[in-house]
Amino acid sequence: MSGRILVIDDDASVRMSFRVYLEDNGYLVQTAEHGSQGLAYFRAGTTDLVLVDLRMPEVDGLEVLATVRQESPETPVIVVSGAGTLSDSVEALRLGAWDYFIKPIQDMEVLTHAISRALEKSRLYAENRQYREHLEELVAERTRELELKTEAAGRTAEKLRIFSHVVEQSATAVMITSREGRIEYVNRKFSDITGYSSQEVVGQNPRILNSNLTPSETYADLWSNITAGRVWQGELMNRRKDGCSYWEHITITPITSDDQQITHFLAVLEDITDRKEYESQLLHKANHDSLTGLPNRVLALDRLEQALARCRREHNRGVLMYLDLDGFKAINDNHGHETGDKVLVAVSSRLQDCVRETDTIARIGGDEFLVVLQDLESE
């Protein structure tokens, strides 16, 4: 699929290599040498996806990411940066990065696949947003018509029929409750997501979906807002009929009568489990070695900083070990890299068997490992 990609990186060679490779794959590429220039190009309205480095002078990649997400939430931003800190990768994901790669990228096809997937998801998000906005417009339109109680009973009845079909066939789950919180209506998508039929939930309290994994403070905030007539949006960890937990983004809107008394609540629900799992995978990938699954250099240094802080705070002892494998190059040369990888995996497993769960084994280079032992009684 084609698309317009903006590459922001202060390294001219990186910009050139990305431009050549992406244009060879059918994309239109524009490059910027720093964050300010990149934001100017982005605001010109010719960008479908942004590739951005984190470490840049003046306006860095995190500021670019935050600005793009604020001004155009549906525009994917993929971070392609050199080895940064754990806080950088976590902050990038928190600000809404769609993916995270560490330079140099060994397999550019992986980046191409991520770009293609991000552009497709962006298109689907835009269509879903338009659909939700259309649904909300229909709901608002229908509410106004009911309040006016015009003499156009025939047109009103027809629009009610259309609205009913739209809600029932919506790609987003819809639930309507009474002011007391008793379910009066759910659409087909609600049943698809939760596993509960309409007959099973009508008359019940939405607590039937409670997984006990969402903080009680969240529900208190939800109820205090909607009973005060305010719209509430948030994320809940709910439970399906089969017992499986799932993440849900929910928007609850109070419905009022002519005298502004709340009569019902309209809830629009979206299953975001896949997105949450993907974010978790990105975070793990940014901080763990892809071959052995051990913490990488970024996470190892963060763990070491925590261990040192704990030693200073609690006046206990720890040990830092640096290990490398003698003769490892000969294994790769004589038996191939696949055999070398098997050796690294086996060594990693054995090292983990030698330490406690509270200790850290990290792979920080080709055949280099770091061991952090905490709470030792003696040298």
Side-chain angles (χ1 to χ4, degrees):
M1 104 183 246
S2 61
R4 299 165 296 181
I5 299 178
L6 172 61
V7 178
I8 309 174
D9 198 300
D10 59 350
D11 189 328
S13 63
V14 172
R15 295 197 303 273
M16 177 60 67
S17 63
F18 278 168
R19 173 188 283 275
V20 171
Y21 182 83
L22 294 174
E23 287 182 345
D24 286 345
N25 281 270
Y27 295 101
L28 299 175
V29 181
Q30 186 175 30
T31 62
E33 60 187 27
H34 52 75
S36 298
Q37 185 181 56
L39 288 176
Y41 290 161
F42 168 76
R43 288 174 174 139
T46 59
T47 301
D48 298 320
L49 181 143
V50 178
L51 292 179
V52 64
D53 187 17
L54 288 184
R55 299 294 185 178
M56 293 185 294
E58 299 182 10
V59 178
D60 64 10
L62 290 177
E63 186 173 348
V64 171
L65 171 60
T67 302
V68 172
R69 295 294 293 161
Q70 179 180 5
E71 296 182 7
S72 180
E74 292 164 0
T75 299
V77 179
I78 296 178
V79 174
V80 182
S81 184
T85 64
L86 174 61
S87 60
D88 283 339
S89 59
V90 171
E91 183 65 6
L93 294 173
R94 188 190 70 79
L95 290 173
W98 287 48
D99 213 331
Y100 190 104
F101 291 88
I102 296 178
K103 295 186 295 188
I105 299 175
Q106 302 299 326
D107 186 357
M108 291 293 285
E109 290 187 2
V110 176
L111 176 63
T112 306
H113 177 70
I115 291 174
S116 176
R117 182 175 59 186
L119 289 172
E120 177 62 16
K121 288 181 66 176
S122 175
R123 182 185 66 79
L124 293 175
Y125 282 167
E127 291 180 355
N128 190 40
R129 174 184 56 78
Q130 293 172 357
Y131 189 85
R132 289 200 307 269
E133 291 175 352
H134 179 59
L135 175 60
E136 291 170 357
E137 290 172 359
L138 287 174
V139 172
E141 178 183 356
R142 182 59 190 144
T143 302
R144 288 193 298 269
E145 289 174 354
L146 290 174
E147 292 173 347
L148 293 174
K149 295 182 179 179
T150 64
E151 297 179 354
R155 293 194 303 272
T156 300
E158 176 62 16
K159 289 185 177 181
L160 178 59
R161 185 186 67 81
I162 295 174
F163 168 72
S164 176
H165 282 296
V166 168
V167 173
E168 187 61 27
Q169 299 173 24
S170 169
T172 304
V174 176
M175 176 172 63
I176 298 175
T177 74
S178 66
R179 190 184 189 286
E180 293 74 27
R182 295 292 175 184
I183 299 174
E184 294 187 359
Y185 169 81
V186 294
N187 69 347
R188 188 181 308 164
K189 188 62 176 180
F190 175 92
S191 298
D192 293 341
I193 293 175
T194 66
Y196 287 103
S197 67
S198 174
Q199 293 80 2
E200 290 174 306
V201 297
V202 168
Q204 300 284 341
N205 190 285
R207 281 193 296 269
I208 193 174
L209 302 175
N210 193 343
S211 66
N212 296 318
L213 297 175
T214 300
S216 58
E217 294 81 2
T218 302
Y219 290 112
D221 178 66
L222 179 160
W223 191 248
S224 65
N225 273 278
I226 63 175
T227 53
R230 295 186 292 268
V231 176
W232 186 89
Q233 290 189 355
E235 296 178 356
L236 306 177
M237 174 69 88
N238 280 336
R239 182 180 60 193
R240 308 183 204 273
K241 182 180 178 180
D242 61 9
C244 295
S245 299
Y246 70 102
W247 278 101
E248 188 170 65
H249 182 274
I250 182 170
T251 302
I252 303 178
T253 304
I255 305 300
T256 57
S257 60
D258 292 341
D259 57 359
Q260 300 304 306
Q261 297 298 311
I262 296 174
T263 60
H264 294 82
F265 296 108
L266 169 67
V268 179
L269 314 99
E270 181 183 3
D271 185 348
I272 58 171
T273 306
D274 289 344
R275 191 188 79 192
K276 285 287 188 178
E277 291 177 351
Y278 184 58
E279 290 174 354
S280 177
Q281 292 170 5
L282 288 180
L283 185 59
H284 185 274
K285 183 172 64 174
N287 297 290
H288 289 79
D289 175 50
S290 59
L291 175 64
T292 64
L294 294 177
N296 60 16
R297 181 186 297 269
V298 174
L299 183 54
L301 293 178
D302 181 73
R303 295 268 183 89
L304 178 58
E305 290 178 1
Q306 294 182 30
L308 290 171
R310 182 173 178 180
C311 286
R312 288 190 292 266
R313 184 175 63 251
E314 301 180 5
H315 305 291
N316 55 21
R317 303 184 184 198
V319 168
L320 173 65
M321 299 180 185
Y322 169 81
L323 307 176
D324 67 352
L325 305 183
D326 292 340
F328 182 71
K329 183 177 184 300
I331 293 176
N332 277 335
D333 293 343
N334 297 329
H335 302 282
H337 289 282
E338 183 177 352
T339 299
D341 287 348
K342 291 180 179 179
V343 171
L344 291 173
V345 171
V347 169
S348 301
S349 177
R350 294 182 186 185
L351 286 175
Q352 288 177 292
D353 290 340
C354 294
V355 300
R356 302 159 299 178
E357 291 186 1
T358 55
D359 299 324
T360 296
I361 303 289
R363 183 186 177 206
I364 61 174
D367 64 344
E368 300 170 306
F369 297 86
L370 204 65
V371 182
V372 181
L373 308 179
Q374 301 185 63
D375 301 327
L376 301 182
E377 296 180 358
S378 66
E379 293 182 7

